[in-house]
Amino acid sequence: MSRPRCMLIGVGRLAGGFVAPVLGAAGWEVVLAGRDPVICATIDKAGGLWLRQAGDPAQDRWFGGIGALTLDDPSLRRLAAGADLFATSVGPASLQAVGRLLAPLLRARLEASNAPVNVITFENHRRAPELLAVGLFEADGSLAGVVGRRLGISGAAAWRTVSRREVTDAGVRFHVNDVSDCYVDGAALLASAAPMDGSIPGLEPVQPFEWYMAEKLWGFNAGHATAAYLGWRAGCATIDEAMAHPDIRTAVAGVVGEAQQVFQLRQAASPGSTPVRRRPLDWILARYADPGLGDPVTRVGREPRRKLAAGDRFIGPAVASLATGLRPVALAHGAAAALAYRESTDRQAGDLQRELELLGPAEVLATVSMLDPQEELTRLICEEYREITAGSRGDRPIRPVNRATA
């Protein structure tokens, strides 16, 4: 009997470091499709990939049954026609374009079989399924008529950190931590198709999914990004190096603490909601500080404009804090550090700096974060931004900010 097949669009860190191994461990055939011809050829030639899990000692594990091809490969359509699941892990900025590419592949699958099929977006974005759907419907408007009947489109919140991907003589290796929690939107998935049939134990369907995504973005990603931005200003190369600075660690702890506090308050105020288990602050900080990952600050801090968007890791919990009567000083400090990120290799950071020079922080926050220039959160972030940027990178101490000192 042939194994079920998943077509996974993306060959990046999360695709290779989490999604493909989870599927492979569950007995699935995985077909990766990506833009990088070297990565695709190396994985396909080896028939799998390596994970190096951080620890003392680090552990290497091989995952076979994984093929890869480039997005322009003519065999893509044939392989898609026999797929039992589709997934993406490409970054939110690429989702609409991937949707346009995926549309004919999904059409081929629906024409080849009457069986329903799900698509899961493994992205750190609350609207990832909608962004993918926009691209799908742009390319094939008739797909809108089968969503919810023969086609499910769902989001996922994966907690694994994948710090880097490397090509070695033994194949492609992904460096990961030991976290494997992953939640998918059970309400958006078709119940008669994978993974709702229990064929992928590593993916846990949950409802309401928005709480699990908010927990990940607010309670983990906000602190992670803060460590990256403050670490960059202190001249650190990696997240663990940044977390070794006591003032940075205190500031990051303040961000996580504020985000967790408002998350719990919002949950408690929602009638009938099932509480999401709280992850201890020390556990989260230990994940950031893991020296085995060697996670670059430029990887974690990349695309600051996206991280400052309304509802994302900084602005979402900060707005919610003010609505519950709390003053989000630590979150404002993290958001200001994102505004002040001037890494020359990051295109979004460069664009953001040009806008800041032209318009100033209040007007930039109005366009990037959808904040009124006169509201309290804008004033808080602007105050922190002026404090952070008063000197050059690396010549000012990091001011520790947390709930106790604010």
Coordinates of all heavy atoms in Angstrom, one line a residue, residues 9-11 33 88-95 98 122-123:
I9 N 5.1 23.4 -0.1 CA 5.7 24.5 -0.8 C 6.6 25.2 0.1 O 6.2 25.8 1.1 CB 4.6 25.4 -1.4 CG1 3.6 24.7 -2.2 CG2 5.3 26.5 -2.3 CD1 4.1 23.9 -3.4
G10 N 7.9 25.2 -0.2 CA 8.9 25.8 0.7 C 10.0 24.8 1.1 O 9.7 23.6 1.3
V11 N 11.2 25.3 1.0 CA 12.4 24.5 1.5 C 13.2 25.2 2.5 O 14.4 24.9 2.7 CB 13.3 24.1 0.3 CG1 12.5 23.2 -0.7 CG2 13.8 25.3 -0.5
A33 N 8.8 21.6 -2.5 CA 8.9 22.4 -3.8 C 9.4 23.7 -3.4 O 8.7 24.4 -2.6 CB 7.6 22.4 -4.5
T88 N 2.2 24.9 3.2 CA 3.1 26.0 2.8 C 3.9 26.4 4.0 O 3.5 26.4 5.1 CB 2.4 27.3 2.2 OG1 1.8 27.9 3.3 CG2 1.3 26.9 1.2
S89 N 5.2 26.8 3.7 CA 6.0 27.4 4.7 C 7.0 28.3 4.0 O 8.1 27.9 3.7 CB 6.8 26.3 5.6 OG 7.5 26.9 6.6
V90 N 6.6 29.5 3.6 CA 7.3 30.3 2.7 C 7.5 31.8 3.3 O 8.2 32.5 2.6 CB 6.6 30.4 1.4 CG1 6.6 29.1 0.7 CG2 5.2 31.0 1.5
G91 N 6.9 32.1 4.4 CA 6.9 33.5 4.9 C 5.7 34.2 4.4 O 5.3 34.1 3.3
P92 N 5.1 35.0 5.3 CA 3.8 35.7 5.0 C 3.9 36.5 3.7 O 2.9 36.6 3.0 CB 3.5 36.5 6.2 CG 4.2 35.8 7.3 CD 5.5 35.2 6.7
A93 N 5.0 37.2 3.5 CA 5.1 38.1 2.3 C 5.0 37.4 1.0 O 4.6 38.0 0.0 CB 6.4 38.8 2.4
S94 N 5.2 36.1 1.0 CA 5.2 35.3 -0.3 C 3.9 34.5 -0.5 O 3.7 33.8 -1.5 CB 6.3 34.3 -0.3 OG 7.6 35.0 -0.2
L95 N 2.9 34.6 0.5 CA 1.8 33.7 0.5 C 0.9 34.0 -0.7 O 0.3 33.0 -1.3 CB 1.0 33.9 1.8 CG 1.5 33.0 2.9 CD1 0.8 33.4 4.2 CD2 1.3 31.5 2.6
V98 N 2.5 32.5 -3.8 CA 2.4 31.0 -3.7 C 1.0 30.5 -3.9 O 0.8 29.5 -4.5 CB 2.9 30.5 -2.3 CG1 2.6 29.1 -2.0 CG2 4.5 30.7 -2.2
F122 N 1.9 27.0 7.4 CA 2.8 27.0 8.6 C 3.5 28.4 8.6 O 4.7 28.5 8.1 CB 3.8 25.9 8.6 CG 3.1 24.5 8.8 CD1 2.5 23.8 7.7 CD2 3.0 24.0 10.1 CE1 1.9 22.6 7.9 CE2 2.4 22.7 10.3 CZ 1.9 22.0 9.2
E123 N 2.9 29.4 9.0 CA 3.4 30.8 9.0 C 3.2 31.5 10.3 O 2.1 31.2 10.9 CB 2.8 31.6 7.8 CG 2.6 30.8 6.5 CD 3.9 30.6 5.7 OE1 4.9 31.2 6.1 OE2 3.8 29.9 4.7

